[in-house]
Amino acid sequence: MTATLPKRALGPFSVSAIGLGCMNLSHGYQPRPEAEAAERLLLHALDRGVTFFDTAALYGFGANETLIGRALGHRRKDFVLASKCALGEINGKRGLDGSAAAITQTLDEALIRLRTDVIDLYYLHRLDPKVPMEESVGALSRAVEAGKIRTIGLSEVSAETIRAVHAIHPVTAVQTEYSPWTRNVELAVLDCCEELGIGFIAFSPLARGLLAGSVGTAGFQQGDLRAAMPRFQEPHLTRNLGLYDQMAGLARAADCTPAQLCLAWLLSKRDFVVPIPGTTNIDHLDEILDTLSLTISEVVFDQVDALFAFGAVSGPRYSKEAQSQIGTEIWEGEPLAS
């Protein structure tokens, strides 16, 4: 029997207050699970009451969408499906193409891989600076008219961009990294979303695993994208693991795990925030979802705020190349890779 979790509104959709980010089942982090294990985890999430699953054409260059279609396609009516375009495979490598032709082709291929006639929420994974915004958004708008997608979203953009796109076509959700150690959206994006009635999806809500206790000083396996991120390189990594130790202390005092404290903190920020943690482990998934049954004091959340005040985290968020595709506002004095 399928369980029920607390819900949050996401435009026209009502989704579980915590969704599932599916990237690391096929892409980004190492090690990755075998296909059968990944399918079991997806089905377990659905049975536990998760009704929001997030993927992208980029993840495994289509492999993640194929996985979701294979594992969950027969229960398509039971969940809200989100995917993304513009970032994907170009000549065998990661590339950015926000042209109307590329978006249309990516969407048509995604529908086949996902074994569905319609995607509920379809994001521009990144805004392509080489393509007029009106062209990219226009392609998504026409896809809505054609019944291929229900709503559109944006990822890693500024409040100014959100307003500009929303004026062309209503935006249902904005997705950006948000956790205690990455709080850029508090500068303007969250206020903008609240004003316009747009939902907010928090990706990497556990600081890419560091605030869940899954990152140590030994480094990463080959192919793990975190190895190229400055915050996971020395001397920054050791300093940031010190923050995790303090976060773990706050969690022990609150009788929860660090991952649960991260998610509860996020859920307390705004009632339209939906975190989408990822995991390859069913026990960890259960731990994550059990957050929704916890009661944690605002005093503890204030302690998390203080621990992760601006300047506490060591190192730039992204490499110079990756940062060049990010439109989200930056803090005055925020370290950027050179």
Side-chain angles (χ1 to χ4, degrees):
M1 180 179 295
T2 301
T4 301
L5 295 174
K7 299 290 196 295
R8 290 199 163 186
L10 196 62
F13 310 114
S14 176
V15 303
S16 54
I18 294 176
L20 184 67
C22 301
M23 180 192 77
N24 58 354
L25 297 174
S26 312
H27 179 87
Y29 302 167
Q30 295 285 0
R32 293 175 198 145
E34 296 294 330
E36 290 184 359
E39 291 177 27
R40 284 196 300 272
L41 184 136
L42 290 168
L43 286 167
H44 182 78
L46 196 56
D47 288 339
R48 277 293 314 266
V50 174
T51 59
F52 184 66
F53 291 80
D54 180 277
T55 182
L58 175 67
Y59 303 158
F61 294 164
N64 198 246
E65 290 179 327
T66 298
L67 169 67
I68 291 173
R70 187 173 63 244
L72 302 181
H74 65 294
R75 296 178 62 180
R76 178 65 185 87
K77 294 181 180 179
D78 295 341
F79 62 94
V80 173
L81 174 63
S83 194
K84 311 178 194 72
C85 62
L87 266 184
E89 180 182 9
I90 300 177
N91 298 323
K93 297 181 179 180
R94 169 181 165 138
L96 178 61
D97 187 347
S99 67
I103 288 172
T104 301
Q105 179 179 344
T106 300
L107 172 56
D108 288 343
E109 293 170 349
L111 291 169
I112 293 170
R113 289 191 291 258
L114 288 162
R115 302 187 187 185
T116 187
D117 295 327
V118 61
I119 295 170
D120 299 305
L121 174 61
Y122 204 52
Y123 299 90
L124 280 176
H125 206 156
R126 296 289 187 271
L127 201 64
D128 187 346
K130 305 183 300 298
V131 176
M133 179 190 303
E134 293 77 7
E135 178 179 344
S136 300
V137 179
L140 294 178
S141 181
R142 289 189 294 275
V144 172
E145 294 170 359
K148 295 180 178 181
I149 64 177
R150 290 196 169 96
T151 63
I152 74 170
L154 302 171
S155 179
E156 288 285 13
V157 294
S158 66
E160 180 181 4
T161 296
I162 295 168
R163 294 180 190 281
V165 172
H166 194 68
I168 300 170
H169 186 100
V171 175
T172 286
V174 172
Q175 178 174 143
T176 297
E177 183 176 358
Y178 188 26
S179 73
W181 88 336
T182 299
R183 300 174 61 177
N184 300 69
V185 297
E186 294 177 1
L187 287 167
V189 166
L190 289 179
D191 287 342
C192 178
C193 287
E194 184 166 27
E195 176 189 339
L196 298 177
I198 295 171
F200 183 84
I201 309 300
F203 80 78
S204 295
L206 305 181
R208 302 185 183 274
L210 187 138
L211 292 181
S214 63
V215 174
T217 57
F220 301 98
Q221 293 184 19
Q222 185 175 1
D224 193 305
L225 62 79
R226 291 171 291 186
M229 294 180 168
R231 289 180 176 181
F232 293 97
Q233 299 169 346
E234 295 296 359
H236 306 301
L237 178 58
T238 295
R239 296 171 185 165
N240 292 330
L241 287 172
L243 290 173
Y244 165 73
D245 290 340
Q246 295 179 70
M247 182 73 162
L250 294 179
R252 284 193 298 272
D255 196 24
C256 65
T257 69
Q260 290 170 336
L261 180 53
C262 274
L263 294 169
W265 176 88
L266 276 169
L267 291 165
S268 76
K269 288 299 180 181
R270 309 281 175 114
D271 62 5
F272 55 86
V273 171
V274 177
I276 52 167
T279 183
T280 61
N281 182 281
I282 285 177
D283 288 342
H284 186 218
L285 175 61
D286 286 336
E287 172 197 342
I288 285 168
L289 297 179
D290 287 346
T291 302
L292 295 171
S293 64
L294 300 177
T295 300
I296 298 175
S297 166
E298 290 290 336
V299 173
V300 179
F301 296 146
D302 290 343
Q303 292 171 330
V304 175
D305 283 329
L307 176 60
F308 289 93
F310 176 71
V313 178
S314 184
R317 177 182 167 204
Y318 278 124
S319 67
K320 183 178 181 180
E321 180 181 5
Q323 183 66 42
S324 69
Q325 296 179 340
I326 302 299
T328 311
E329 291 83 358
I330 61 173
W331 298 93
E332 182 177 354
E334 180 176 345
L336 298 175
S338 57

